[in-house]
Amino acid sequence: MRFGLSMAILLVLPLAAAARAPSVPAADAPELAALGPYKVGVRELTLVDRARPGLTGTADRSLPLLVWYPATGGAAAPPRVYTRALPRAGGTPVTITTEGIAATDATAAPGRFPLVIVSHGFGGWPAGMSYLTENLASKGYVVVSIAHNDDAAGDNFRLSFGNAVVNRAADQQAAIAEMVRRAGIVGDAIGAQVDAARVAVIGYSMGGFGALATGGAGYDPGGPTPSQLPPALLARQAQGARTAEPHIKAVVAIAPWGGQPANRSWSPQGLGGLRVPALFIAGDQDDVSNYGEGIRWLWENAVHSERWLLTYADARHNVGGNAIPREVADDPAFQENFAEPVWRTERLNAINLHFVTAFLDRYLKGDVRRAAYLDVPVAEANAAIWPAAGGAPRFAPSDGSSTTYWPGFQKRWLLGLRLEHREVPH
């Protein structure tokens, strides 16, 4: 999503009977997209990163966070409805609503769970990927989504975007540090659930730009974008200086910005700093991050990371966020920022959920059974053949008996995808 937006306003409202929260997949979803065994709670908190250097000087940086977490049943609060005011060209703002399944301040489930940091695209907001954040929390993850406040510079797009370049990775790292700090405080209600040794970062678009750096890929100071900024502002994230903290175990980069030649922010050497497993997700017609010369170039050059690239045929850039809200569904300007020309967003998001779940379960929870869902029998989905033997399972099995059909997908529903895998050379 690429427009500057005002700060989110979050309310608790009654859930409409006919509404479906984006985190609840429909019947056509692949196997691992389904909700997990936990109820979901949500809390709000604000992180203040002291004395952060920026384009307009050094100042405290305030970062509102939404924290989704595994909860027990019987929550007193109704499900959350997330709202946000979006500006309309030449008119008054319109308030959009997104249904949720999380209950505010619900009783936390006992135990410690892996931590997942979620970072939105330019102009986005913390609940803009609630399909993913709530769903992952139901599966036993503490999920923290950052409000990066891209619109803080008002109508000054150049300053807003420059701030995003400077702050994206730093915001992610500050959020990780805060949650790790809380995990070590006896009696901290939020930190008590966080396993500080198991952390992943998920970033969409500009969030993916930051996530690759947070995962260890240092920016090239001479690259087209970094070279336009004061060197000191990206010094911590620069090639040769950035090393991922040992508790960061995995990165998911959805349509990551910054690989395209005109804005290239890494060299192959800098991308070599990414040494944790990575899942890239993109559309092969991405006209914002540039699939072939941008996203795919990043994936091919991250040679020290065991990595996957999930590609949606004929998809553009809107492959990471919630579906278009009903309040603006008939507005062409908003379609540009939410919808895909070919893919139905609910279907696309369900596929994202399936693969992100397999990936995080494999690398944060150590569930080796999930490897079968990632290492698919054939890279091209359209070449897969449904297993003829046996009964009529709903999902292709993951035990190796499905011949070339991708495990977890339903018959006739595996089309338009490619999943490639690269191992680290020995």
Side-chain angles (χ1 to χ4, degrees):
M1 302 170 194
R2 307 187 296 278
F3 39 82
L5 301 173
S6 60
M7 173 62 66
I9 302 173
L10 297 164
L11 303 174
V12 178
L13 301 172
L15 182 64
R20 179 191 294 270
S23 54
V24 182
D28 63 350
E31 182 181 4
L32 301 185
L35 289 170
Y38 293 98
K39 301 292 184 181
V40 180
V42 62
R43 295 188 176 104
E44 300 174 48
L45 61 99
T46 299
L47 159 66
V48 179
D49 194 16
R50 303 292 181 187
R52 172 85 68 84
L55 289 172
T56 57
T58 298
D60 293 348
R61 182 161 171 82
S62 180
L63 296 172
L65 307 175
L66 273 182
V67 182
W68 288 271
Y69 56 92
T72 60
R80 190 71 168 263
V81 174
Y82 311 98
T83 74
R84 184 174 177 86
L86 301 183
R88 244 192 235 275
T92 58
V94 57
T95 298
I96 61 168
T97 57
T98 303
E99 288 73 18
I101 62 171
T104 300
D105 297 328
T107 302
R112 289 189 181 265
F113 303 90
L115 172 66
V116 179
I117 301 297
V118 175
S119 182
H120 60 69
F122 182 69
W125 59 96
M129 297 171 68
S130 64
Y131 81 93
L132 181 65
T133 56
E134 289 191 336
N135 189 285
L136 289 176
S138 80
K139 294 168 176 171
Y141 293 92
V142 175
V143 185
V144 178
S145 189
I146 306 167
H148 292 286
N149 297 330
D150 294 324
D151 58 341
D155 293 332
N156 188 334
F157 176 84
R158 184 177 179 85
L159 179 58
S160 293
F161 199 81
N163 282 333
V165 172
V166 168
N167 288 315
R168 233 3 156 255
D171 288 352
Q172 295 166 8
Q173 292 155 33
I176 293 170
E178 172 64 9
M179 299 305 291
V180 169
R181 182 188 72 83
R182 285 178 173 269
I185 299 175
V186 176
D188 186 280
I190 295 174
Q193 282 193 304
V194 173
D195 182 344
R198 297 183 291 168
V199 181
V201 184
I202 300 176
Y204 171 34
S205 191
M206 185 56 68
F209 168 82
L212 294 177
T214 296
Y219 300 134
D220 176 10
T225 293
S227 64
Q228 297 181 51
L229 298 164
L233 296 183
L234 291 177
R236 283 181 51 203
Q237 318 298 342
Q239 177 178 308
R242 177 65 194 154
T243 302
E245 292 78 4
H247 44 254
I248 298 176
K249 304 299 185 185
V251 166
V252 178
I254 305 174
W257 187 89
Q260 60 273 42
N263 306 107
R264 187 160 288 169
S265 300
W266 289 275
S267 68
Q269 180 184 351
L271 285 169
L274 180 68
R275 294 176 179 268
V276 297
L279 172 62
F280 289 72
I281 299 173
D284 68 6
Q285 299 300 315
D286 192 315
D287 53 350
V288 174
S289 295
N290 186 332
Y291 175 78
E293 296 180 291
I295 299 166
R296 193 172 182 89
W297 183 87
L298 292 171
W299 177 74
E300 289 174 342
N301 283 280
V303 295
H304 296 300
S305 165
E306 183 171 12
R307 61 209 186 275
W308 286 260
L309 174 59
L310 174 64
T311 301
Y312 290 92
D314 297 320
R316 292 198 183 275
H317 189 65
N318 295 331
V319 296
N322 287 341
I324 187 168
R326 56 184 174 272
E327 293 87 356
V328 294
D330 295 328
D331 189 321
F334 286 104
Q335 288 282 345
E336 282 283 315
N337 292 287
F338 285 96
E340 277 293 315
V342 172
W343 285 84
R344 177 168 49 89
T345 303
E346 292 83 358
R347 171 67 180 167
L348 190 152
N349 287 353
I351 295 170
N352 285 353
L353 284 171
H354 174 82
F355 283 109
V356 171
T357 298
F359 181 70
L360 295 183
D361 284 358
R362 174 68 184 88
Y363 289 104
L364 264 66
K365 294 184 178 181
D367 188 346
V368 296
R369 297 170 299 174
R370 298 308 198 204
Y373 295 90
L374 296 169
D375 300 330
V376 294
V378 291
E380 297 289 343
N382 291 17
I385 300 173
W386 181 258
R394 181 179 177 189
F395 303 108
S398 59
D399 61 2
S401 64
S402 66
T403 60
T404 59
Y405 212 78
W406 290 10
F409 277 79
Q410 300 181 58
K411 186 177 182 180
R412 303 183 70 245
W413 287 95
L414 180 58
L415 289 171
L417 300 170
R418 182 170 62 249
L419 182 60
E420 300 167 85
H421 178 206
R422 295 285 187 274
E423 295 182 345
V424 178
H426 298 290

